[in-house]
Amino acid sequence: MSQPEKNAVKGGLVAKLPNVQAVVFDAVGTVMYPFPSVAETYRRAIRQHCATEIDPDKVVRVVSEALTQRSRDTDLRTSESVEREFWADLVRRLCPSSSSAPEPDGFQACFDDLFDHFQRPANWRCFDDTAGLIHELHRRGLKTAIASNFDQRLNSVCDGLHELKGGDHRIISSVVGWRKPARQFFDAVSQQLDVSPDHIIFVGDDLTNDVAGAIAVGMQAAWICRSGNVTQPQGSAKKIASLQELITDSASDTTSGSGQRSASVS
């Protein structure tokens, strides 16, 4: 059976788009989310190690602003040490400090706690609409991958999440050396899958990092938007409300954690 014939066995977006051979998913905000939330986790750690209370809304604002600014940087190169320092700097900004101290009071213990917390699978959940998804894509003869702006902690997280550990490949920015939306990151996706860009559909929740970045290198793209946002993606990108729309023609939005923010790792 040819690839198009396999995809046509059942419906969904992957059967409608031309010549799809691989489906690639962003990680945080697309297939998984932190639980407890990033705001609650930071609040707990800062209370414990820095002996102070912090407004959860401030955590959300600082993390979101920092991630947005990263996407706009002219230099998108990264590494394990660069990623670790990015998250350490966020903790410095959120922890109170005395004027004479080189680091905020309790900073190191707080940072170590948070960095370890987000590498533990028990502190992450998969959205409900990931159920059976990778299995069905494989049944149709399609390759799959998780491709994320993350560090190597993502491996332990995915290994511990049943819905994700069956994926064929993981492309991690700190290993590639470039963050999305850099062209070099998406080139690495194509190279690791051994599939040309026009035969890949990239699925993500971020219009800049995931959708625009993928389209710029010739990939097909789908924007997962569970919030009901009326914004439409530009260009040829498709908008879906559930990941199940990739494999079925009608999918009800039964996702859990749909209110989680994508700015949600440490």
Side-chain angles (χ1 to χ4, degrees), residues 58-72:
K58 180 180 179 180
V59 176
V60 172
R61 183 179 71 255
V62 170
V63 175
S64 297
E65 289 174 353
L67 290 173
T68 298
Q69 182 56 50
R70 281 198 108 192
S71 298
R72 296 172 178 167

Side-chain angles (χ1 to χ4, degrees), residues 3 7 14 20-26 31 130 132-148 158 162-171 188-195 199-203 246-247:
Q3 187 65 56
N7 281 345
V14 296
V20 174
Q21 296 178 12
V23 183
V24 180
F25 299 94
D26 166 57
V31 294
T130 62
L133 185 60
I134 289 177
H135 173 78
E136 172 60 18
L137 293 171
H138 286 167
R139 191 193 67 77
R140 299 189 190 193
L142 300 173
K143 295 181 179 180
T144 62
I146 303 293
S148 177
C158 289
H162 173 74
E163 298 90 338
L164 303 183
K165 64 182 179 181
D168 298 318
H169 300 275
R170 294 172 194 154
I171 299 91
V189 171
S190 179
Q191 292 165 9
Q192 189 161 328
L193 287 167
D194 193 25
V195 176
H199 292 169
I200 297 172
I201 177 170
F202 198 101
V203 185
L246 294 168
I247 56 174

Side-chain angles (χ1 to χ4, degrees), residues 27-243:
V28 183
T30 298
V31 294
M32 67 186 198
Y33 61 94
F35 185 84
S37 71
V38 68
E40 180 55 36
T41 300
Y42 271 71
R43 184 182 185 186
R44 172 198 57 77
I46 292 171
R47 181 196 303 124
Q48 177 181 346
H49 300 291
C50 303
T52 191
E53 288 290 341
I54 187 168
D55 184 351
D57 288 341
K58 180 180 179 180
V59 176
V60 172
R61 183 179 71 255
V62 170
V63 175
S64 297
E65 289 174 353
L67 290 173
T68 298
Q69 182 56 50
R70 281 198 108 192
S71 298
R72 296 172 178 167
D73 287 348
T74 55
D75 186 355
L76 294 170
R77 288 175 294 183
T78 192
S79 65
E80 284 290 307
S81 61
V82 168
E83 292 302 307
R84 188 177 182 91
E85 181 56 29
F86 170 78
W87 295 110
D89 186 60
L90 272 180
V91 175
R92 292 187 188 98
R93 292 166 61 184
L94 290 166
C95 284
S97 62
S98 61
S99 58
S100 60
E103 296 281 10
D105 299 334
F107 158 76
Q108 193 61 55
C110 186
F111 170 70
D112 290 343
D113 183 352
L114 287 167
F115 201 79
D116 178 70
H117 174 95
F118 287 105
Q119 75 176 346
R120 297 179 179 274
N123 298 321
W124 294 88
R125 300 289 187 274
C126 285
F127 289 100
D128 286 351
D129 55 5
T130 62
L133 185 60
I134 289 177
H135 173 78
E136 172 60 18
L137 293 171
H138 286 167
R139 191 193 67 77
R140 299 189 190 193
L142 300 173
K143 295 181 179 180
T144 62
I146 303 293
S148 177
N149 283 350
F150 214 122
D151 51 67
Q152 293 200 61
R153 292 176 296 169
L154 183 63
N155 286 317
S156 61
V157 174
C158 289
D159 286 344
L161 296 175
H162 173 74
E163 298 90 338
L164 303 183
K165 64 182 179 181
D168 298 318
H169 300 275
R170 294 172 194 154
I171 299 91
I172 302 171
S173 60
S174 68
V175 178
V176 172
W178 294 88
R179 304 192 311 272
K180 293 179 290 183
R183 183 182 188 91
Q184 293 90 334
F185 180 92
F186 291 94
D187 287 344
V189 171
S190 179
Q191 292 165 9
Q192 189 161 328
L193 287 167
D194 193 25
V195 176
S196 63
D198 57 320
H199 292 169
I200 297 172
I201 177 170
F202 198 101
V203 185
D205 69 309
D206 191 292
L207 286 171
T208 299
N209 288 343
D210 302 321
V211 176
I215 289 176
V217 300
M219 293 182 183
Q220 303 175 77
W223 179 41
I224 175 67
C225 178
R226 300 181 178 92
S227 67
N229 189 324
V230 296
T231 300
Q232 292 297 321
Q234 296 182 345
S236 60
K238 308 300 181 183
K239 181 180 180 180
I240 57 176
S242 167
L243 294 179

